[in-house]
Amino acid sequence: MATTPTARPSSFSRNTSTSAASSASAPAPAPGSRIGAGGATFVSSGIPDLDRILGGGFLLGSLVMVMEDAEAPHHLLLLRNFMAQGVVHCQPLLFASPAEDPRAFLGTLPAPVAASKEERQRAPGPDHDEQEQGLRIAWQYKKYFGEQQASNAHNKDVKKEFGNNFDLRKSIERHMLSAQNVDCISIQKFSNLAPLRERCSSFLSKLTGNGVGLAGRIAIQSLCAPQCGYSDWDMVSFVRSLRAMLRYSKAVAIITFPSVILPPSFSKRWQHLADTLLSVRAIPDEDKDLAKLLTGYQDMVGLLHVHKVAQISSQVPVILEASTFSLKLQRRRSLVLERLNQAPVEGSSGTSYGTAGPCSGSLKGSSIDF
């Protein structure tokens, strides 16, 4: 009687225990950050549309530079949302400004948009009734219970998402700023940038040993402001050292600078040192030619141009769907970015790209052979 041969175990069998152990040992993303393609860690810019455009947000360990517009302070919109997002995520923040009192700038940070009534009814949690009761108490008895209890009821409706929408008409709660590790520096008091370099180094060294895993944020406003009087080489040396310190840290730094006051050669050096390079530009109030060219011109407050996107430890380029976007206010409170759409030409319906008004009439009754 013939016996069936037994199958020999293959030497190429997959070791499931090793793969499971490696996946379990993978480090979890820090609070307020997320893992993107290729294992890269991102933090939110404070503008969800900008996070989507950049492929996930600001890359951890990168340097972001924003070229200011001399006619309008639109760069402050990006700076405020970036700082406010860090405050919402309880992330350490270092803010440097040429103003004499930089802490006063914290009072202009926008407040996160609370969840609407429809969103709360769509996904009610176990403490839904408690939240509704706390919200009613906050509105009716705010003057009796004080500002602290009212703000706590408001913060229950604010979701700590990766990227929040912020209401530019409202300021962030003061107790959120007092509870955070927010350090403010006035660079106007320094004769050179060596003290600022030391403060940044000390700030980044604390992030590596905090044990919590929080990602830090550094925001520097108008580094090459005329009232500071720094030399061009001193500023370039500072940017180089800051970029080197960020590479192996758990932080993201954003620097805004007026490029018009820099010499062209140094301005190119600054742009080359940036990992992510953005620029903002104001729109004239009454530009009839531009209004005819673009749709939704009345709702635009400015233009955002993406010059460069950070690519650290990756050889895959980020392909953008567009490089210039319009800055708009959604419901007059939240900042959104949209692609520039060309207005339809007069005499055409604008519904199809395959039809052309002037040429369609000459083709009637004629046959085209290929």
Side-chain angles (χ1 to χ4, degrees):
M1 186 176 181
T3 59
T4 58
T6 59
R8 297 180 59 184
S10 175
S11 60
F12 297 97
S13 60
R14 182 179 180 182
N15 191 352
T16 57
S17 60
T18 305
S19 59
S22 61
S23 60
S25 61
S33 62
R34 66 182 177 188
I35 305 298
T41 307
F42 295 92
V43 296
S44 176
S45 62
I47 307 174
D49 290 336
L50 184 57
D51 296 339
R52 177 185 55 82
I53 293 170
L54 298 179
F58 289 157
L59 194 61
L60 203 65
S62 64
L63 175 63
V64 183
M65 303 188 72
V66 181
M67 292 186 289
E68 304 175 4
D69 187 9
E71 299 181 358
H74 289 336
H75 63 280
L76 297 180
L77 298 174
L78 306 180
L79 196 65
R80 289 191 179 104
N81 282 38
F82 173 78
M83 297 172 60
Q85 188 67 74
V87 172
V88 171
H89 287 157
C90 303
Q91 296 171 341
L93 175 63
L94 175 64
F95 175 60
S97 171
E100 296 182 359
D101 186 14
R103 187 163 290 273
F105 184 78
L106 301 179
T108 63
L109 300 184
V113 177
S116 61
K117 186 177 180 181
E118 292 76 9
E119 293 177 352
R120 294 194 303 267
Q121 292 177 355
R122 189 180 303 113
D127 54 347
H128 177 68
D129 297 336
E130 182 181 353
Q131 292 181 1
E132 291 291 339
Q133 182 179 1
L135 186 60
R136 289 194 298 268
I137 293 177
W139 281 101
Q140 297 177 3
Y141 303 101
K142 180 178 180 180
K143 59 181 179 180
Y144 299 106
F145 290 93
E147 183 180 357
Q148 180 69 27
Q149 184 174 354
S151 59
N152 291 338
H154 171 76
N155 293 333
K156 289 182 179 180
D157 297 330
V158 176
K159 299 180 180 179
K160 289 187 177 181
E161 301 176 351
F162 173 77
N164 294 88
N165 289 314
F166 292 92
D167 192 348
L168 301 178
R169 302 172 302 178
K170 300 179 182 179
S171 300
I172 201 169
E173 299 290 344
R174 287 182 294 178
H175 74 93
M176 298 183 65
L177 296 174
S178 60
Q180 303 306 317
N181 185 16
V182 181
D183 191 7
C184 297
I185 308 172
S186 176
I187 58 179
Q188 188 178 0
K189 303 176 182 179
F190 303 147
S191 59
N192 53 52
L193 291 173
L196 181 59
R197 186 183 297 107
E198 295 177 359
R199 296 290 291 271
C200 293
S201 177
S202 176
F203 176 80
L204 295 175
S205 62
K206 293 179 181 178
L207 295 177
T208 57
N210 55 13
V212 183
L214 292 176
R217 295 174 182 244
I218 299 178
I220 302 177
Q221 175 190 358
S222 301
L223 180 60
C224 56
Q227 60 266 33
C228 297
Y230 303 132
S231 63
D232 297 333
W233 286 109
D234 190 15
M235 291 184 291
V236 171
S237 176
F238 169 77
V239 174
R240 285 178 176 175
S241 60
L242 178 60
R243 183 185 180 187
M245 290 186 293
L246 288 170
R247 278 295 182 268
Y248 304 99
S249 66
K250 299 184 299 181
V252 176
I254 180 172
I255 299 177
T256 66
F257 66 99
S259 58
V260 293
I261 67 175
L262 288 175
S265 59
F266 280 93
S267 179
K268 293 296 182 181
R269 289 177 181 268
W270 279 55
Q271 298 176 26
H272 178 71
L273 291 174
D275 297 315
T276 299
L277 182 62
L278 309 173
S279 65
V280 290
R281 184 168 63 90
I283 296 180
D285 295 334
E286 296 181 359
D287 193 342
K288 297 181 180 180
D289 296 335
L290 194 60
K292 294 179 180 179
L293 182 63
L294 301 176
T295 59
Y297 172 79
Q298 295 78 8
D299 301 330
M300 297 181 186
V301 297
L303 297 176
L304 174 71
H305 189 78
V306 181
H307 300 268
K308 189 197 303 184
V309 181
Q311 299 178 15
I312 301 178
S313 302
S314 176
Q315 297 181 354
V316 180
V318 179
I319 301 177
L320 301 176
E321 59 182 10
S323 59
T324 304
F325 301 87
S326 61
L327 289 167
K328 294 184 179 181
L329 292 179
Q330 186 179 16
R331 298 179 182 179
R332 297 183 179 180
R333 61 176 186 178
S334 299
L335 191 64
V336 296
L337 299 176
E338 294 182 359
R339 292 181 58 182
L340 296 178
N341 297 321
Q342 185 176 1
V345 183
E346 296 181 0
S348 64
S349 60
T351 58
S352 175
Y353 293 100
T355 59
C359 301
S360 60
S362 60
L363 297 179
K364 291 183 178 180
S366 63
S367 61
I368 301 178
D369 297 332
F370 294 94

